[in-house]
Amino acid sequence: MDGHQTPAAQAAMTLRYGAGAEPKPGPWNDTLALLLSHRSVRGFRPDALPDGTTETLVAAAQSAATSSNLQTWSVVEVTDPAVRKELAAIAGNQKHVEICPLFLVFLADVSRNARLAEAEGKDLVGLPYLESFLVASIDAALAAQNAVVAAESLGLSTVYIGALRNDVTRVAELLGLPKGVAPVFGLCVGHPAAGREGEVKPRLPQEAVLHRGTYDAADAGHRAAYDPRMAEFSRRNEMAADNWTQRVIARLGTLTALRGRDKLKEALIGLGFPLR
Amino acid sequence: MDGHQTPAAQAAMTLRYGAGAEPKPGPWNDTLALLLSHRSVRGFRPDALPDGTTETLVAAAQSAATSSNLQTWSVVEVTDPAVRKELAAIAGNQKHVEICPLFLVFLADVSRNARLAEAEGKDLVGLPYLESFLVASIDAALAAQNAVVAAESLGLSTVYIGALRNDVTRVAELLGLPKGVAPVFGLCVGHPAAGREGEVKPRLPQEAVLHRGTYDAADAGHRAAYDPRMAEFSRRNEMAADNWTQRVIARLGTLTALRGRDKLKEALIGLGFPLR
């Protein structure tokens, strides 16, 4: 169904932005409804997924754009319960990493290109630069987001596990990664457990994120409007009532909260990304 | 329509992987068909898009996951023809940057969080780390990919413009970016010009990208299978017949081919990302 905004569309915008903060109405269809209704889920049923689900999600992932068709990403499906358990611990004891029926680790991967060059007797002088690590991480993110959309189109839920970056060195050992491959994040996929379906999380007003022509830094008013919305969401969902301002400061205000990711640069260099 | 693989699904897999290289069949629906049919387009009709299109794409983008809800990304819609012209030049004279009806620049943006902390009299000690730049870049990529899927669901086409990173300092000047904001890539959106709709580009065999349990580096056979497919695609689409191996070596084998991106690290430090 394609068309202009329907009552359902308006409802989706209200859930995402809060009443009174909906952006200007535009075109609408079922795919937009799917995208707008995204929520991260952290409690899964262990039930196995239909045969071929992993392959279908990866086909969607490989269909995303990749910089210069370099395809500098890979993904590992992790099934071994002992490895899952250790990955969950690295991620700050996120139990859903153990329980979800499908757990994927997305990788920045320049090793495939390096192997190809070695076989041809060439030197890829562009590889050691920060740019190549960034391209590989962006490739992985674009691919993963397509996998997320694909999963949600099949009625499945997901959550990204960025906390694998707490210890990329150990994750790399567990997955047997060669030089030039680094974990970027994990992804849990499965059916939500009863009562764990979650709620659409409100985002900043669109005016705070979308700039016209040049960047507009005058966003204090947008934050003032958003803080109580997030506090209300937290009260309903997390038995706390932190607003966004408090959460950002809690997340970024101490080195402890980085949980080891202040050492990420050295760890990536150790995994074969000189980040020149 | 949800169900198991149909002839249309098999055809979509054949276009993406080549005859004989299709992955194991799995579930299928219209969203998967949309994702699998992605192609980047580099020739656009200048026709204006329906009212509200930008807002709808950004609503889809904001609905993507964002690390710890930090929302460390922003987007600028660029309409000024003089700015478009200079951005096209920075990107190696990509004329479609000037012509497409909607041009977005996605930004890694920790400045919003920094402004919030300053207003509260706090110091975000986590911000200067490489981790924060990486989170912001991944946030931008997840958001942008949702915008791409949203655009394609509306019958529009897109192409990412990573070549804005050829000179992030100048792009930041043109867009008036404050400290702590850096361009990650651009995105052209519009209807393809006649004859510029493009063709689905084949990707590496799934076995080269999807690893089971641990990483399998034995991929020479997959490359051997893929090289002639890419050569055939190039012959049909680009009046050349380079295979993938040749393209990767051309793209990464010289510093010249990085077109200034070997200086990206210094440029990002200059834009307020110390990358500690």
Side-chain angles (χ1 to χ4, degrees):
Chain A
M1 171 216 56
D2 269 31
H4 220 65
Q5 277 210 343
T6 59
Q10 289 162 19
M13 289 289 181
T14 303
L15 279 178
R16 184 57 74 191
Y17 288 103
E22 300 87 346
K24 183 169 156 182
W28 195 251
N29 61 35
D30 291 345
T31 302
L32 291 165
L34 180 74
L35 295 170
L36 265 285
S37 70
H38 165 77
R39 61 209 77 181
S40 295
V41 160
R42 293 178 178 81
F44 294 92
R45 301 202 318 249
D47 323 29
L49 303 181
D51 210 34
T53 299
T54 302
E55 290 77 3
T56 300
L57 301 190
V58 173
Q62 286 191 265
S63 298
T66 149
S67 184
S68 303
N69 199 33
L70 292 174
Q71 306 181 62
T72 48
W73 67 280
S74 287
V75 61
V76 181
E77 178 180 2
V78 183
T79 48
D80 183 336
V83 175
R84 291 270 204 114
K85 196 179 169 76
E86 188 166 350
L87 293 176
I90 288 169
N93 297 312
Q94 296 195 49
K95 198 74 185 167
H96 37 282
V97 170
E98 289 181 63
I99 290 171
C100 63
L102 173 59
F103 187 67
L104 300 171
V105 180
F106 283 83
L107 308 167
D109 184 356
V110 301
S111 80
R112 197 185 296 120
N113 295 349
R115 282 191 293 279
L116 159 174
E118 198 183 345
E120 301 289 320
K122 304 283 184 183
D123 186 21
L124 297 186
V125 299
L127 276 194
Y129 289 86
L130 174 65
E131 163 70 5
S132 291
F133 173 70
L134 182 60
V135 159
S137 300
I138 293 171
D139 267 10
L142 301 180
Q145 187 57 21
N146 257 19
V148 163
V149 174
E152 294 183 348
S153 81
L154 293 168
L156 301 169
S157 291
T158 63
V159 65
Y160 284 106
I161 308 294
L164 288 189
R165 294 194 303 277
N166 292 347
D167 189 353
V168 291
T169 307
R170 181 61 186 148
V171 175
E173 283 170 6
L174 286 167
L175 305 183
L177 305 185
K179 187 166 175 272
V181 190
V184 184
F185 45 69
L187 185 72
C188 296
V189 183
H191 292 284
R196 303 297 297 275
E197 300 82 359
E199 193 187 325
V200 167
K201 187 179 282 187
R203 296 286 193 234
L204 283 164
Q206 194 166 91
E207 296 78 9
V209 171
L210 170 59
H211 303 263
R212 314 284 185 163
T214 54
Y215 191 99
D216 178 7
D219 56 9
H222 300 312
R223 177 160 60 94
Y226 182 55
D227 264 343
R229 268 177 221 132
M230 269 309 294
E232 185 54 38
F233 176 88
S234 302
R235 193 173 295 122
R236 279 195 310 273
N237 289 274
E238 291 152 15
M239 312 204 207
D242 294 345
N243 65 29
W244 191 62
T245 298
Q246 290 162 338
R247 282 175 176 250
V248 170
I249 290 169
R251 184 71 191 77
L252 293 169
T254 66
L255 274 195
T256 319
L258 281 185
R259 292 176 156 279
R261 293 185 230 170
D262 49 319
K263 308 277 191 303
L264 180 67
K265 185 164 79 172
E266 290 69 27
L268 289 172
I269 292 170
L271 294 178
F273 291 93
L275 306 176
R276 230 175 255 167
Chain B
M1 170 216 56
D2 269 33
H4 220 66
Q5 277 211 343
T6 59
Q10 290 162 21
M13 290 289 182
T14 303
L15 280 177
R16 184 57 75 192
Y17 289 103
E22 301 88 346
K24 182 169 157 184
W28 195 251
N29 61 34
D30 291 346
T31 302
L32 291 165
L34 179 75
L35 295 170
L36 265 286
S37 70
H38 165 77
R39 60 210 79 179
S40 296
V41 160
R42 292 178 178 80
F44 293 93
R45 302 202 318 250
D47 321 30
L49 303 181
D51 210 36
T53 299
T54 302
E55 290 78 2
T56 301
L57 300 190
V58 174
Q62 286 191 264
S63 299
T66 150
S67 184
S68 304
N69 199 33
L70 292 174
Q71 305 182 61
T72 48
W73 67 280
S74 287
V75 62
V76 181
E77 178 179 1
V78 183
T79 49
D80 182 336
V83 175
R84 289 270 205 114
K85 196 179 168 75
E86 189 165 350
L87 293 176
I90 288 168
N93 296 312
Q94 296 196 50
K95 197 75 185 167
H96 37 282
V97 171
E98 289 182 62
I99 289 170
C100 63
L102 173 60
F103 187 67
L104 300 171
V105 180
F106 283 84
L107 308 167
D109 184 357
V110 301
S111 80
R112 197 185 295 120
N113 295 348
R115 282 192 291 280
L116 159 174
E118 198 183 344
E120 300 289 320
K122 303 284 185 184
D123 186 21
L124 296 186
V125 299
L127 276 193
Y129 289 86
L130 173 66
E131 163 71 7
S132 291
F133 173 70
L134 182 60
V135 160
S137 299
I138 293 171
D139 266 10
L142 301 180
Q145 186 58 20
N146 257 19
V148 163
V149 174
E152 293 183 348
S153 81
L154 294 167
L156 300 169
S157 290
T158 63
V159 65
Y160 283 106
I161 308 295
L164 290 189
R165 293 194 303 276
N166 292 348
D167 189 354
V168 290
T169 308
R170 181 63 185 147
V171 175
E173 283 170 8
L174 286 166
L175 305 183
L177 305 185
K179 185 164 176 274
V181 190
V184 184
F185 45 69
L187 184 73
C188 296
V189 183
H191 292 283
R196 304 296 298 275
E197 299 83 359
E199 192 186 326
V200 167
K201 188 178 282 187
R203 297 285 193 235
L204 283 163
Q206 194 166 92
E207 296 77 8
V209 170
L210 170 59
H211 303 263
R212 313 284 184 162
T214 54
Y215 192 98
D216 177 6
D219 56 9
H222 301 311
R223 178 159 60 95
Y226 182 54
D227 264 342
R229 269 177 220 133
M230 268 309 294
E232 184 54 40
F233 175 89
S234 303
R235 193 174 294 122
R236 281 196 310 273
N237 289 273
E238 290 151 14
M239 312 203 208
D242 294 343
N243 64 30
W244 190 63
T245 298
Q246 290 161 338
R247 283 176 174 248
V248 170
I249 290 169
R251 184 71 192 76
L252 293 169
T254 66
L255 275 195
T256 319
L258 281 185
R259 292 175 156 278
R261 292 186 232 170
D262 49 320
K263 308 276 192 302
L264 180 68
K265 185 164 80 174
E266 290 68 28
L268 289 172
I269 292 169
L271 295 178
F273 291 92
L275 306 176
R276 229 175 255 166

